[in-house]
Amino acid sequence: RAAACAGHSIAAAPAALAVRYLSDVSVDVEHGRGEWKKYGDLENFVPGKFQIKCFNKISPKGLARFDDDKYDVRLDGSEAANAHAVLLRSHKLQENEVAHTVR
């Protein structure tokens, strides 16, 4: 049945709605199988410092803005397995060059 209000017709809601409960769904979860994946270099990780990987030459003036107490800036060619960020200029970055640790 439908109702009318100020010249507009409103369709009635269906008599029965289909409801599906999560308890009706079977979900298989595996725990404790496989190995934990490790990203980065845990032995050289420095808590409290952000590691930044540079891909090419960056001006020393620009790099001086990163305080040594908070940032570990790795220059071009240096290993940066724990990089949180990348810094580059005129570099065609490939997906495989970005570490899993980059946020």
Side-chain angles (χ1 to χ4, degrees):
R1 98 188 182 183
C5 178
H8 300 334
S9 64
I10 301 169
L17 295 174
V19 178
R20 187 172 181 189
Y21 296 96
L22 289 177
S23 60
D24 295 340
V25 179
S26 175
V27 177
D28 292 328
V29 179
E30 292 187 30
H31 294 286
R33 295 184 187 223
E35 295 180 33
W36 285 93
K37 292 184 180 179
K38 296 176 189 166
Y39 297 112
D41 179 10
L42 298 178
E43 291 179 15
N44 294 312
F45 175 71
V46 180
K49 275 193 168 187
F50 293 102
Q51 190 177 90
I52 301 173
K53 178 172 176 60
C54 296
F55 278 93
N56 42 18
K57 287 193 170 214
I58 304 293
S59 167
K61 281 185 168 183
L63 293 176
R65 299 187 68 145
F66 295 102
D67 184 24
D68 288 338
D69 293 337
K70 295 179 185 175
Y71 300 97
D72 175 16
V73 179
R74 301 290 176 103
L75 301 178
D76 189 27
S78 298
E79 180 61 32
N82 299 317
H84 294 97
V86 294
L87 186 61
L88 54 94
R89 185 191 96 244
S90 303
H91 178 82
K92 189 173 181 179
L93 189 65
Q94 300 296 318
E95 185 176 351
N96 62 350
E97 293 178 302
V98 180
H100 291 286
T101 55
V102 172
R103 299 177 184 168

